[in-house]
Amino acid sequence: MKTEQFPETLHEAIKYFAKDDRAFEYMKQVRWPDGKVTCPRCGCADVSFISTRKLWTCSECKTKKQFTIRVGTVLEDSAIPFEKWICAFWLISNAKNGISSYEIGRSLGVTQRTGWFMLQRIRLAMHNGTIEKMKGQVESDESFIGGRSRFMHKAKKKLQSGWKGMTPVQGLLERTAGGKASRVKLKVLKTTRKHEVQGNVREYVLKGSEVHTDALRSYIGMNQDYVHQVVDHAVCYAKGHVHTNGLENFWCLLKRTIKGTYVNVEPFHLFRYLDEQAFRFNEREDTDRGRFVKAISGIVGKSLTFAKLTGKEEGGELLPA
């Protein structure tokens, strides 16, 4: 009997994971890559499988002995079938300009509210918490996300002018080197002051690297640890290899996604949308299948409740994922 190959397209994925218990077995492999099922609460390997209910029972846990694949992942407490989750992961990881919660709802047969919650969980899975620092030639630049006052209703325009009310975001881009494609790291800022802007550079960029920035005064003083190269955009946008054009290109992609697909993003959710866009940019040279596999492999060890997502936990303050 011919064994079906892992899907390469969304159409193939829908057919592939619709058969028998293939979606369950695949998610089991994602949850426990080494094939050894362990209790997500105590780590015990002495577990027994109840096939009729597709869950396991731990012999060590005194309470909450039973667990499923979803426990300890971003899918925890979700009743949505694995087949729909897989389709959602495939769609968002490969949609260059993102996909809205309304479109997810129509495509999967769920409500818009459920689609929005699914997308926020998937964005958490896409978050890359790597400690590998950037090196070589690195660009650093800032952009402001939000509605410009000139596009607002005159009643709101009186309350806001220029960049006021918009959210600053800092981007770091490691340029192509050694056959590796350029990659970005994004951070939502409270301000664009020196301690915050330079703090992110020092946290994510290896000392001794060549850092290219514009003439923002917040970058003054980095020469002690980096080869700091400055291009003044009031004069020109590039001096030889000194420029921030890589990040300028990325800002265009990000803003096209936010304005064209999501229309409006609340500041306290912005970091999740940044994770989504950074993931697709950093994995742009991979295939649809490869991006899907990398995205869904990030579900383990992360959780996001609706109360946390909407800021109703811990006194109503939004908690970082």
Side-chain angles (χ1 to χ4, degrees):
M1 184 177 178
K2 185 178 179 180
T3 304
E4 289 189 57
Q5 293 185 346
F6 195 83
E8 298 285 348
T9 66
L10 175 61
H11 179 249
E12 292 176 359
I14 292 172
K15 293 195 299 181
Y16 182 85
F17 290 110
K19 294 182 179 179
D20 303 320
D21 293 331
R22 194 171 282 165
F24 175 82
E25 291 298 326
Y26 178 71
M27 295 304 295
K28 178 182 174 183
Q29 180 183 343
V30 171
R31 182 66 181 82
W32 295 286
D34 58 359
K36 187 177 181 181
V37 179
T38 56
C39 176
R41 299 188 179 97
C42 68
C44 176
D46 187 9
V47 298
S48 55
F49 182 58
I50 304 176
S51 59
T52 55
R53 299 176 61 195
K54 288 186 171 58
L55 54 78
W56 289 264
T57 300
C58 177
S59 62
E60 294 293 328
C61 290
K62 294 182 180 179
T63 59
K64 295 185 179 179
K65 290 186 176 183
Q66 296 179 338
F67 63 91
T68 66
I69 291 174
R70 301 171 190 262
V71 177
T73 73
V74 298
L75 312 185
E76 190 165 355
D77 294 331
S78 171
I80 298 170
F82 287 136
E83 302 95 292
K84 290 189 176 184
W85 272 109
I86 287 171
C87 287
F89 266 95
W90 197 291
L91 284 168
I92 193 172
S93 61
N94 294 302
K96 185 176 182 180
N97 292 323
I99 183 168
S100 71
S101 56
Y102 283 96
E103 190 171 353
I104 282 288
R106 291 194 302 268
S107 300
L108 302 183
V110 298
T111 64
Q112 181 272 333
R113 174 189 170 105
T114 298
W116 180 75
F117 191 20
M118 291 177 72
L119 290 178
Q120 299 291 31
R121 290 187 179 193
I122 293 172
R123 292 180 182 114
L124 175 57
M126 288 177 166
H127 174 72
N128 182 6
T130 178
I131 60 174
E132 181 184 1
K133 289 195 172 186
M134 295 179 170
K135 57 185 178 180
Q137 294 181 350
V138 179
E139 299 176 19
S140 180
D141 191 33
E142 302 74 43
S143 187
F144 290 82
I145 308 298
R148 296 294 299 272
S149 59
R150 68 170 181 259
F151 299 122
M152 292 182 178
H153 187 274
K154 62 180 180 180
K156 289 187 177 181
K157 191 181 293 188
K158 295 179 181 179
L159 304 175
Q160 180 173 323
S161 61
W163 301 110
K164 186 178 180 181
M166 301 180 75
T167 306
V169 176
Q170 182 178 4
L172 295 166
L173 181 143
E174 181 186 70
R175 290 183 183 171
T176 303
K180 290 175 58 179
S182 57
R183 61 189 178 110
V184 297
K185 178 71 178 178
L186 306 174
K187 197 83 171 181
V188 176
L189 302 174
K190 293 181 179 178
T191 68
T192 56
R193 293 181 179 176
K194 181 176 181 178
H195 71 279
E196 192 168 0
V197 171
Q198 289 196 25
N200 289 328
V201 174
R202 298 179 194 283
E203 181 177 358
Y204 298 113
V205 181
L206 195 66
K207 286 187 178 181
S209 300
E210 187 174 334
V211 179
H212 299 181
T213 72
D214 57 19
L216 182 69
R217 293 182 62 83
S218 297
Y219 288 109
I220 295 176
M222 290 204 308
N223 283 322
Q224 295 180 356
D225 298 319
Y226 301 96
V227 181
H228 184 203
Q229 303 280 5
V230 178
V231 57
D232 188 349
H233 288 166
V235 179
C236 63
Y237 282 90
K239 294 189 299 183
H241 74 288
V242 181
H243 59 78
T244 59
N245 292 341
L247 275 173
E248 295 294 348
N249 173 64
F250 178 81
W251 295 137
C252 289
L253 295 173
L254 174 65
K255 291 180 180 181
R256 184 171 64 191
T257 297
I258 291 178
K259 292 180 182 179
T261 303
Y262 302 124
V263 183
N264 180 51
V265 175
E266 292 294 334
F268 49 81
H269 288 310
L270 179 59
F271 70 97
R272 305 184 196 280
Y273 292 83
L274 298 181
D275 287 340
E276 172 197 342
Q277 192 69 18
F279 172 86
R280 282 196 300 264
F281 180 85
N282 293 339
E283 305 299 335
R284 64 192 181 280
E285 294 195 347
D286 206 341
T287 62
D288 286 3
R289 166 185 172 174
R291 279 186 290 271
F292 161 74
V293 170
K294 289 175 182 175
I296 204 166
S297 64
I299 66 172
V300 183
K302 302 172 183 177
S303 65
L304 183 63
T305 64
F306 195 78
K308 183 175 181 180
L309 180 61
T310 53
K312 295 178 181 178
E313 283 188 4
E314 298 294 330
E317 296 181 357
L318 190 82
L319 303 177

